[in-house]
Amino acid sequence: MRFSITIIFLIFSVIIFGQETKSPKNINQAIRALDKNLTTEIKEKLTKISSDSLLIFYKNSESKFDLMDNWFFKWTQMSTTVDASLGKFYKKKGLEIPYDMIEVVLRTYQNKLKGNKAKHDEILKTFLLRQQKNNKENEIRYVTDSLSGFYIPKNLDDAINSLNKIYSDSVKLKITKLTEEDYVSGNYRFGIGLWMRNNWQLWGGSRLSKFFRDNKINHPESMSVVILESYYRYLKNEDIRFDEQIKEYVEWEEKSKINELEREKKELKEKKETFAELKIGNVLEFNYKYGFSNQSQEDKWMDDICLAKGILIEKDEKNLKIKVKIIESCDKKGIVIYTNDNVKIYNNETKKWSDPKKRIVKFLKNEKSAWFELDDWDLE
């Protein structure tokens, strides 16, 4: 069974990295991308589905992994990629969880399709407040039996018992008529698998996720696979074989580490190729990595009428860095090239991370130059 799931992960990675759809840089660009590329059929589905079900609606697809789902994984950096601008956009606004980013975009786009006001900022605010509430739970999340109003199972047996209460008898009967592989592969990514990862806090951390990590199972999707495999075997009156599941996962993780190293080598190679393509005198477009000098600059950028530009004047081949002279910034302060807003400082005495005592923001005005990371700029 683990072999089959591994193949699914590998296929999924190939699809993601083969996808050419460039990540939008803000919500307006995301809406335009969806509007341009989604079929009429999918748009109609979006208008009819409850907003609470938006995260799982695209499971109803003829393809194994829906194209739109792959875009969101790439756009929000749910899988490692060199281009995740939409994820960076939301992280600057304080939203950290990729699934929340996806839901904010989908709810905003659904409003547009229904002819309503988009209300993106209101939707985002709701998710930020929920995230703040979750942050307060962090101190107790690994011991408490409840998070965000949901009971958290304490171990695998408790998770099986909890699933048994969720499923109706008729659904249980249908499950027993499936093969284990069909049941798990049809539910681990979406449906009940997604529900468990979200509500049992397998991503954010909980006593259940701690139980799995203590047993060497670290990835939330793998946790949900093990729960589903175990529940199926429970319904079929079979031995759960948890030790066997752990062994298979550890073997899979070792293979994944090898694949990760290969991916990192590939990314470095691509980065070097991109660096080599850049020529002195190229006009580049700024990515606003550290935010904006003011609200007006951000508003203009959201509408694609404020694209800060610079000229490449020097290259550091050893460190793959570029020196750029600003020629356009849409604001007299220039562009923000550093801010410590999201920086944490570690205190060796208290052994805790804290915010800096003083806010530091560095600007770069027109006609001034500085060294940048390669991904701070795009070739125009």
Side-chain angles (χ1 to χ4, degrees):
M1 181 62 198
R2 181 70 53 189
F3 176 76
S4 300
I5 296 302
T6 302
I7 292 298
I8 289 174
F9 274 116
L10 292 175
I11 292 172
F12 184 46
S13 299
V14 170
I15 294 175
I16 290 172
F17 293 114
Q19 175 58 250
E20 296 300 326
T21 306
K22 189 175 181 180
S23 175
K25 296 178 181 178
N26 56 50
I27 181 60
N28 288 352
Q29 290 185 11
I31 295 299
R32 285 197 287 270
L34 294 175
D35 227 19
K36 178 181 178 181
N37 293 290
L38 292 183
T39 65
T40 302
E41 180 184 3
I42 292 180
K43 291 177 182 177
E44 289 177 354
K45 286 181 181 179
L46 265 171
T47 62
K48 297 175 182 177
I49 288 174
S50 165
S51 59
D52 293 329
S53 302
L54 283 172
L55 277 182
I56 62 173
F57 91 96
Y58 36 73
K59 182 185 176 185
N60 299 319
S61 167
E62 293 180 1
S63 59
K64 187 67 178 177
F65 297 105
D66 188 88
L67 186 64
M68 183 178 176
D69 188 28
N70 293 329
W71 292 343
F72 276 119
F73 267 81
K74 179 178 180 180
W75 293 354
T76 60
Q77 207 167 355
M78 295 182 71
S79 285
T80 308
T81 171
V82 295
D83 182 17
S85 300
L86 191 63
K88 294 174 185 176
F89 167 76
Y90 278 114
K91 284 182 179 179
K92 288 175 188 173
K93 292 183 175 294
L95 197 62
E96 296 291 333
I97 302 172
Y99 274 120
D100 285 351
M101 299 174 190
I102 292 173
E103 195 164 355
V104 169
V105 175
L106 287 174
R107 290 191 181 211
T108 304
Y109 186 54
Q110 186 185 57
N111 281 345
K112 178 183 180 297
L113 289 176
K114 289 181 176 181
N116 302 327
K117 189 176 180 181
K119 297 183 179 179
H120 171 262
D121 290 345
E122 291 180 26
I123 295 169
L124 176 61
K125 184 178 179 180
T126 300
F127 280 82
L128 288 173
L129 290 173
R130 187 173 75 181
Q131 182 173 286
Q132 289 172 11
K133 182 181 178 182
N134 289 340
N135 289 342
K136 291 180 180 179
E137 295 177 329
N138 280 340
E139 294 182 4
I140 60 169
R141 68 170 45 252
Y142 293 104
V143 294
T144 185
D145 62 1
S146 179
L147 289 169
S148 301
F150 288 92
Y151 174 76
I152 306 297
K154 59 186 177 182
N155 53 33
L156 180 57
D157 287 339
D158 199 12
I160 290 171
N161 291 333
S162 297
L163 270 187
N164 211 36
K165 294 175 183 177
I166 292 172
Y167 281 126
S168 66
D169 290 341
S170 60
V171 172
K172 293 175 191 176
L173 182 60
K174 290 179 180 178
I175 292 173
T176 60
K177 293 180 180 179
L178 297 172
T179 65
E180 180 178 306
E181 183 168 352
D182 284 344
Y183 170 61
V184 176
S185 62
N187 288 280
Y188 89 95
R189 288 197 65 240
F190 296 102
I192 194 66
L194 178 61
W195 185 93
M196 288 189 296
R197 290 191 295 277
N198 286 347
N199 297 317
W200 289 350
Q201 300 288 322
L202 300 183
W203 283 107
S206 66
R207 66 177 185 173
L208 183 59
S209 72
K210 183 179 184 301
F211 164 81
F212 280 111
R213 289 194 172 94
D214 288 346
N215 283 281
K216 302 180 182 179
I217 298 175
N218 301 307
H219 197 288
E221 288 196 350
S222 293
M223 296 176 193
S224 58
V225 167
V226 170
I227 295 171
L228 292 172
E229 286 178 347
S230 301
Y231 183 67
Y232 179 87
R233 295 169 188 178
Y234 162 81
L235 285 181
K236 300 284 282 187
N237 293 314
E238 298 175 0
D239 184 4
I240 289 174
R241 308 191 299 279
F242 186 45
D243 289 341
E244 179 184 306
Q245 290 173 305
I246 293 173
K247 181 182 177 183
E248 290 174 346
Y249 172 78
V250 171
E251 290 174 353
W252 171 81
E253 191 175 50
E254 288 302 316
K255 292 178 182 177
S256 296
K257 288 178 181 178
I258 295 173
N259 291 335
E260 179 71 7
L261 289 173
E262 291 300 318
R263 183 198 59 76
E264 289 177 357
K265 289 180 182 178
K266 181 182 177 182
E267 283 191 1
L268 179 59
K269 181 174 180 280
E270 291 174 349
K271 188 174 181 180
K272 288 180 177 179
E273 289 173 351
T274 299
F275 185 84
E277 289 175 0
L278 294 176
K279 307 298 181 186
I280 302 299
N282 279 159
V283 176
L284 307 176
E285 182 183 313
F286 189 54
N287 284 328
Y288 290 100
K289 185 176 179 179
Y290 294 104
F292 304 86
S293 58
N294 56 43
Q295 188 61 49
S296 174
Q297 188 183 55
E298 180 175 5
D299 290 343
K300 291 176 182 178
W301 175 79
M302 289 274 282
D303 292 326
D304 288 337
I305 57 176
C306 179
L307 304 176
K309 296 179 181 179
I311 293 179
L312 179 60
I313 60 174
E314 197 173 339
K315 297 171 68 177
D316 178 354
E317 189 169 353
K318 181 179 178 181
N319 298 301
L320 297 180
K321 292 190 176 184
I322 54 176
K323 191 172 187 180
V324 180
K325 179 181 178 182
I326 308 302
I327 58 174
E328 184 179 335
S329 64
C330 306
D331 189 83
K332 62 182 181 180
K333 287 185 178 180
I335 56 174
V336 179
I337 60 172
Y338 175 79
T339 174
N340 64 349
D341 279 351
N342 296 316
V343 172
K344 295 288 184 182
I345 298 174
Y346 186 72
N347 188 315
N348 285 314
E349 294 181 3
T350 63
K351 306 299 181 183
K352 292 182 179 180
W353 292 88
S354 61
D355 295 324
K357 293 182 179 179
K358 182 180 179 181
R359 186 179 183 226
I360 298 174
V361 182
K362 295 181 181 179
F363 297 91
L364 193 65
K365 295 183 178 182
N366 286 359
E367 302 303 316
K368 300 295 183 180
S369 61
W371 286 98
F372 293 89
E373 297 294 335
L374 193 59
D375 63 358
D376 288 342
W377 295 84
D378 287 330
L379 189 61
E380 189 181 34

